[in-house]
Amino acid sequence: MKIYDTHTHYDDERYSPNYIADVLDGNTSGFCAVGCNLERSRLSVGIAERYGQIAAVGIHPQDAPECNAETKAELSKLAENPVVKAIGEIGLDYHYDPPEGTTFDDMKAVQKQAFIAQLQLAENIGLPLIVHSRDAMADTLEILYKFNRKPYTTVFHCFSGSAETATELHKHGILIGVGGTVTYKNAKNSANAVRAIPLEYILLETDCPYLSPVPLRGTLNHSGNLSYVIEKIAEIKGITVDEVVKTCNDNAARFFKLA
Ligand SMILES: [Zn+2]
Ligand SMILES: [Zn+2]
């Protein structure tokens, strides 16, 4: 059974057209090409068109300063393309130092503004949401809950929170994206989160080119490597690999409203 990858960055210059074609010839049935700024959102839409796949468009928190009236207008125009099935990745990321000459509070304020503006866009056009949240869970949830989104329309991609947080998200109908980190020895959180919620609320994702699973850490990641992630989830849940693939493929189809 072929695997669907819900979160990829195949616009990365390390991927050649042949490389992507090979991925789709392998164990991968399809993928979502996720944007992280206006330029890369455009590239992701191009990749989705070229390979008959889907895309998400959005401005990542680290690129939040570029989220102004003009780029927002461009983004909503881009989102009208029929291959665009989600807004993302958007959210809050407090992991790194603020840009030169600005304070931590400045950075937070700019990120929150961009997150809220794009959340509003997703609401207006009725698309699901791919959330990136790093070291910023409380603020992310505070903003998200104000929008009172419908169940099964929001995913926390590359989820690294606790079982408690996963359970809390599940109560609000929010999914988690699980990828290579679940195979890491020190990633007890990921395994516990997977254990805590029903498989129906998990999306498979590589976040490639990043986060290659064990035993391939440090190499260029691709959707085919999800097989390692799936084995790990099957082990945690005590079910077969086929059950994981089938359920997670169904989850992706339901989340992105794929026909
Ligand atoms: Zn991310
Ligand atoms: Zn990503």
Side-chain angles (χ1 to χ4, degrees):
M1 201 183 305
K2 285 198 168 202
I3 308 160
Y4 195 87
D5 187 353
T6 64
H7 193 115
T8 68
H9 300 286
Y10 281 120
D11 62 306
D12 188 281
E13 59 192 16
R14 283 169 283 180
Y15 298 115
S16 66
N18 279 345
Y19 191 107
I20 300 171
D22 280 351
V23 167
L24 289 168
D25 277 343
N27 66 353
T28 306
S29 64
F31 57 78
C32 179
V34 178
C36 25
N37 55 37
L38 185 57
E39 179 53 26
R40 294 190 64 183
S41 293
R42 281 207 187 94
L43 292 173
S44 294
V45 168
I47 283 173
E49 284 176 330
R50 193 165 335 129
Y51 296 96
Q53 303 302 321
I54 65 166
V57 298
I59 297 168
H60 188 284
Q62 278 173 278
D63 281 319
E66 81 160 43
C67 189
N68 54 37
E70 201 184 316
T71 50
K72 270 186 278 180
E74 288 291 315
L75 209 58
S76 49
K77 226 192 295 170
L78 204 53
E80 286 169 18
N81 188 308
V83 300
V84 175
K85 301 290 186 193
I87 297 296
E89 52 185 290
I90 68 170
L92 302 174
D93 190 328
Y94 300 161
H95 187 71
Y96 298 101
D97 288 336
E100 189 90 17
T102 63
T103 67
F104 204 68
D105 282 344
D106 292 339
M107 182 185 81
K108 283 184 177 179
V110 170
Q111 288 192 11
K112 282 180 185 176
Q113 233 170 25
F115 184 31
I116 291 167
Q118 296 180 90
L119 249 163
Q120 194 59 60
L121 172 65
E123 288 285 308
N124 293 348
I125 56 183
L127 284 180
L129 204 65
I130 300 170
V131 175
H132 170 107
S133 177
R134 191 174 188 196
D135 298 345
M137 187 57 81
D139 284 2
T140 308
L141 290 181
E142 189 187 323
I143 290 171
L144 203 52
Y145 288 167
K146 283 196 187 123
F147 281 83
N148 202 17
R149 291 181 58 78
K150 287 199 198 87
Y152 228 85
T153 62
T154 307
V155 63
F156 270 59
H157 108 87
C158 196
F159 182 76
S160 58
S162 64
E164 288 72 29
T165 308
T167 305
E168 151 88 13
L169 295 178
H170 176 239
K171 250 191 288 174
H172 286 83
I174 298 170
L175 292 83
I176 65 170
V178 175
T181 50
V182 78
T183 66
Y184 300 174
K185 273 223 154 59
N186 58 359
K188 280 221 178 63
N189 258 356
S190 281
N192 289 336
V194 166
R195 199 171 289 118
I197 61 164
L199 188 59
E200 283 69 22
Y201 279 76
I202 290 174
L203 294 182
L204 296 171
E205 64 160 85
T206 50
D207 201 16
C208 66
Y210 317 108
L211 301 174
S212 285
V214 173
L216 303 169
R217 284 189 82 170
T219 67
L220 183 65
N221 201 5
H222 65 81
S223 305
N225 294 342
L226 277 175
S227 52
Y228 296 97
V229 174
I230 290 161
E231 270 174 39
K232 188 72 195 175
I233 294 174
E235 180 193 316
I236 294 166
K237 290 284 194 196
I239 55 177
T240 66
V241 163
D242 279 355
E243 282 175 280
V244 175
V245 175
K246 172 157 193 341
T247 302
C248 289
N249 285 351
D250 288 350
N251 300 346
R254 181 178 167 201
F255 181 77
F256 291 117
K257 300 193 176 72
L258 307 177

